Amino acid sequence: MKKFKRIAALLLSVSMLAGLAACSNGTTTTSTPPKDDGETPAASDYKVAMITDYGDITDQSFNQTTYEACKAFCDANGVEFSYYKPNGDNTAERVAMVDAAVADGYNVIVMPGYAFGGTVVEASEQYPDVKFVALDVAAGDILEAGVPLKGEEYDYNPDNWNVKDYYYSDNVYCAVYQEELCGYMAGYAAVKLGYTHLGFLGGMAVPAVMRYGYGFIQGADAAAAELGIGDQVTVEYVYGNQFSGDADITSYMDNWYQTLGVEVVFACGGGIYTSAAEAAAKVDGKVIGVDVDQAGIIDQYGEGMTVTSAMKGLTATTKHILEEIILNDNWDAYAGKIETLGLVSEDPEANYVQLPLESTQWDDNFTQDKYKELVAAMYNGEITVSNDTSVEPAANATVITVNPYGNIK
């Protein structure tokens, strides 16, 4: 993109700031540490804003986790912080909240979730002096938004992608996660904990959801092989084709739990867990959460319903990148990167993908110590997990049975 276009966009945005300043839905927490007179920026030079995707900061998922991580960091370091909630679920509303945050003087903006692909494309160029942190926003999310904006035909072949052609990457850091790894942990745990009839309910068949599911199959397969019960373990596998639950999907889950005899469902895709939990509640079934520790919301449908959750390290990512930007003045090491995060240690809690230690239903067959041994083996390369989403689900199993059903809707 030519430089004069960026300048024109910036000038246009400046003319809008006064009107936008009153549009924020944010709630601000402030403090004023002393300003450093040296050349290195001080914490007081930064103001952090978080934009929610389309939910609220009480969703016990991406928004709440990211909000709490941002607020805890800013409170501890005397950095002004605010969050902004869009009025609708679309890129225009999310960009409007970025406009409002910039108008209010915020210069570090944290955005959680794949829905911010279009926001990255539009806002990064409009505000080149603002630092954008996009969590769980992949190259494909940016390309899907950026290619149409450029008026070109979207090419789904990753070999042809040059994502930096479609957004102003100099002021953006994106973090994505190895979902297949925590999916593997969840599938392995489920079988080790005694479940032999499993289900995977994905939201939509997008790469991140598919990696969760394929990892889940591989983990269940490995545990079954170790126990010598491969012929006894079955995984039913389906996508809802949406990221929310509804009556149709709940009815489908009713059939799984009540007719097929599924014992536990890995519900992977935003609010689609509600359908699995509603169906599970009728038969004392179990559910596995995703992205964050979802025991708090899933267990509202039935005490002890959540077996575990396949988690992404949103808190660790948020804390680390804010430290690097604000405390260490190390933004240059991250700007322009789309970084894939996974295992960095044998210590489960130090990793960017993990199971929750507190809410997982450990027993003598799968203790916390055995979980730690599993993570160490994965970190050291003794266990490898495929992230290839070009194959069919059943291709990820060697001893168990996988029954794929495509899409519910």
Side-chain angles (χ1 to χ4, degrees):
M1 181 64 70
K2 290 183 171 52
K3 184 176 180 181
F4 76 88
K5 289 186 178 180
R6 290 199 295 270
I7 295 172
L10 183 58
L11 291 174
L12 177 62
S13 69
V14 170
S15 69
M16 297 168 61
L17 294 185
L20 289 167
C23 297
S24 166
N25 288 333
T27 302
T28 305
T29 303
T30 63
S31 60
T32 53
K35 187 174 179 64
D36 188 342
D37 293 328
E39 294 183 2
T40 300
S44 58
D45 294 323
Y46 292 102
K47 295 174 65 175
V48 177
M50 176 215 158
I51 315 295
T52 67
D53 54 3
Y54 46 84
D56 207 341
I57 59 169
T58 56
D59 66 355
Q60 296 192 46
S61 188
F62 262 51
N63 291 310
Q64 182 169 348
T65 302
T66 307
Y67 167 81
E68 290 174 352
C70 287
K71 189 174 187 305
F73 174 87
C74 291
D75 285 351
N77 292 283
V79 177
E80 189 171 331
F81 170 68
S82 175
Y83 83 95
Y84 296 75
K85 179 183 176 182
N87 291 320
D89 179 16
N90 57 69
T91 292
E93 294 291 351
R94 285 183 277 271
V95 171
M97 291 299 95
V98 173
D99 293 335
V102 174
D104 290 340
Y106 292 90
N107 53 10
V108 177
I109 296 182
V110 182
M111 306 176 295
Y114 75 95
F116 281 99
T119 309
V120 167
V121 172
E122 295 192 28
S124 62
E125 185 172 19
Q126 189 172 357
Y127 301 111
D129 294 327
V130 173
K131 296 174 174 60
F132 292 93
V133 176
L135 303 176
D136 213 35
V137 176
D141 301 319
I142 294 171
L143 281 162
E144 192 166 3
V147 174
L149 286 174
K150 302 297 181 181
E152 301 172 18
E153 185 178 354
Y154 181 49
D155 185 349
Y156 283 88
N157 182 0
D159 293 336
N160 297 332
W161 286 356
N162 185 3
V163 67
K164 290 189 177 182
D165 288 343
Y166 300 105
Y167 76 114
Y168 183 81
S169 61
D170 291 0
N171 60 339
V172 180
Y173 169 73
C174 296
V176 294
Y177 300 88
Q178 291 181 279
E179 293 92 354
E180 70 277 6
L181 299 184
C182 51
Y184 183 100
M185 297 172 192
Y188 186 92
V191 172
K192 285 287 189 174
L193 291 169
Y195 300 101
T196 58
H197 201 165
L198 318 179
F200 175 80
L201 171 63
M204 299 180 73
V206 296
V209 174
M210 294 172 72
R211 286 193 295 269
Y212 269 128
Y214 288 13
F216 183 70
I217 292 171
Q218 292 173 70
D221 191 68
E226 289 179 14
L227 295 171
I229 58 169
D231 60 339
Q232 302 174 38
V233 177
T234 300
V235 178
E236 314 293 348
Y237 195 102
V238 76
Y239 298 102
N241 206 27
Q242 62 188 44
F243 287 113
S244 59
D246 63 18
D248 292 334
I249 298 174
T250 299
S251 177
Y252 199 97
M253 291 294 100
D254 284 337
N255 181 60
W256 271 16
Y257 281 109
Q258 297 179 30
T259 304
L260 297 184
V262 170
E263 299 163 293
V264 57
V265 171
F266 181 19
C268 180
I272 205 166
Y273 79 89
T274 58
S275 282
E278 287 170 4
K282 299 169 187 174
V283 294
D284 196 26
K286 301 294 184 180
V287 176
I288 294 172
V290 75
D291 289 336
V292 300
D293 183 356
Q294 288 194 307
I297 50 174
I298 293 174
D299 284 1
Q300 292 177 17
Y301 292 83
E303 186 177 354
M305 182 180 290
T306 311
V307 173
T308 189
S309 296
M311 303 195 307
K312 298 177 181 179
L314 296 172
T315 297
T317 311
T318 302
K319 178 182 177 183
H320 175 72
I321 193 63
L322 291 180
E323 284 179 349
E324 290 292 270
I325 294 170
I326 295 173
L327 303 184
N328 300 334
D329 190 31
N330 198 28
W331 171 247
D332 289 345
Y334 296 88
K337 285 187 175 182
I338 300 177
E339 191 170 27
T340 301
L341 303 175
L343 302 179
V344 295
S345 171
E346 293 186 358
D347 176 6
E349 293 187 287
N351 293 317
Y352 292 103
V353 288
Q354 57 183 262
L355 303 181
L357 291 181
E358 290 188 7
S359 65
T360 297
Q361 295 180 3
W362 314 104
D363 67 12
D364 291 341
N365 297 311
F366 192 58
T367 63
Q368 288 193 17
D369 286 340
K370 290 179 180 178
Y371 166 57
K372 292 175 182 178
E373 291 173 5
L374 172 69
V375 172
M378 295 173 71
Y379 174 72
N380 293 323
E382 299 168 38
I383 295 173
T384 59
V385 184
S386 172
N387 65 357
D388 183 4
T389 57
S390 67
V391 300
E392 293 299 315
N396 293 278
T398 60
V399 299
I400 67 174
T401 299
V402 178
N403 297 319
Y405 299 102
N407 292 320
I408 297 174
K409 307 181 76 168

